[in-house]
Every structure is written in structure tokens, then in C-alpha cells.
Amino acid sequence: MYNTIIVPIDLSHEERASHMLEAAKRLGGSSAKVYVLNVFDDVPGYVAAELPADIIENSKSASMQRLAAIVAESGVNAEAVIRTGQPARGILDLAEDVKADLIVIASHKPGFQDYLLGSTASRVVRHATCPVFVIR
Ligand code: ADP
């Protein structure tokens, strides 16, 4: 059984989220601490400067609400977390910060079955210091 599990979810492709949370529940049992993470891609400063002041904060808060809804729908006891930056870096950094002993990640976008691993999944598999469970 694993104690601290991260389930990273790409909110533009969340089709496998419930499957990933179910896997985390089976691998961690009822006592594991589960973090459901979305990494919000950083907007370059020169782009942010042209956007209305609250648009980025509003998008982050919409992402947080969607993540919380996914957790509630799954029935899994998990904490929703939003980080900003490059997705693989954000996943690996949270894993270090909370001393995760497992990451449950989807292999790639739905419909890309011919690819072994998507770019984020492959970076996480290569650089994580804990086991990574890949959902295909
Ligand atoms: P593809 O290259 O086909 O889009 P990715 O490797 O980017 O595939 O995505 C595979 C999985 O990586 C996603 O289903 C999700 O688990 C994780 N992931 C990708 N982007 C993010 C993100 N921004 N935040 C959290 N997890 C992500």
C-alpha cells in the first residue's frame, strides 16, 4: 500500500480522471493521502501584460472548482491542488514537496493509443524519484 499519492489531471482531457482516482484508491487504501493536481500553464509576462488583470486568477479559480468537482464526483477522499508552471515540473515538484511515494498518471491524450507515452507522462516517468503508475 502507498501512503502519499499524486494524481495529476489535465483539465482539457479529464476523461480518465475517475479511472485514475479509482486506481489511487485501490493502491493506497483508505488511509492514503491523495493529492489531485492540475498544473496551470504559465502565461509569459509579455502576454499577461496584455490581458485583463483578473483573467488569469479567474481561470485558476475555475480550474480549482473543476478539480474539486472531479474529486467530489469520484467519492475518493483527496485534496485538490493547483500549481503554476510547466506541467511535468509542477508534478515532480509537488511529489518532492509532499514526499509522494506514488504518482498515478494517464499515458497520453485519449485517442493517441499508438504513442507509448505523452510528453508530460514521459518526463514524469523519467525523472520521478518514486514509482509511477501509468494508466493506459
Ligand atoms: P499528451 O502529450 O498526449 O497530451 P501528456 O503526457 O501531456 O499527453 O498527458 C498525459 C497525462 O499527464 C495527463 O492525462 C495527466 O495525467 C498528466 N498531465 C498532463 N498535463 C497536465 C497538467 N497541466 N496538469 C496535471 N497533469 C497533467
Side-chain angles (χ1 to χ4, degrees):
M1 287 281 186
Y2 295 92
N3 297 314
T4 308
I5 305 175
I6 297 181
V7 182
I9 292 176
D10 177 354
L11 289 175
S12 48
H13 299 284
E14 55 175 71
E15 295 83 349
R16 276 175 294 177
S18 62
H19 189 176
M20 292 161 75
L21 278 157
E22 183 57 34
K25 189 168 149 188
R26 284 208 231 141
L27 291 160
S30 55
S31 59
K33 174 77 189 171
V34 179
Y35 295 91
V36 176
L37 167 70
N38 176 250
V39 186
F40 194 89
D41 258 322
D42 241 345
V43 180
Y46 64 89
V47 176
E50 300 299 326
L51 297 172
D54 53 359
I55 196 163
I56 295 173
E57 276 319 306
N58 288 348
S59 309
K60 274 190 200 167
S61 123
S63 297
M64 189 61 180
Q65 279 174 23
R66 184 61 205 133
L67 217 49
I70 289 172
V71 170
E73 284 159 22
S74 75
V76 174
N77 184 16
E79 180 177 337
V81 177
I82 299 275
R83 290 246 170 145
T84 305
Q86 196 277 328
R89 190 69 263 152
I91 296 165
L92 294 165
D93 283 351
L94 180 66
E96 290 299 322
D97 293 350
V98 302
K99 300 190 177 16
D101 54 6
L102 183 69
I103 299 170
V104 175
I105 196 165
S107 52
H108 44 58
K109 280 190 195 70
F112 280 52
Q113 285 86 343
D114 286 352
Y115 292 101
L116 180 60
L117 285 176
S119 55
T120 305
S122 110
R123 282 196 190 103
V124 170
V125 167
R126 276 188 280 128
H127 298 293
T129 55
C130 67
V132 181
F133 189 90
V134 179
I135 305 275
R136 291 191 60 85

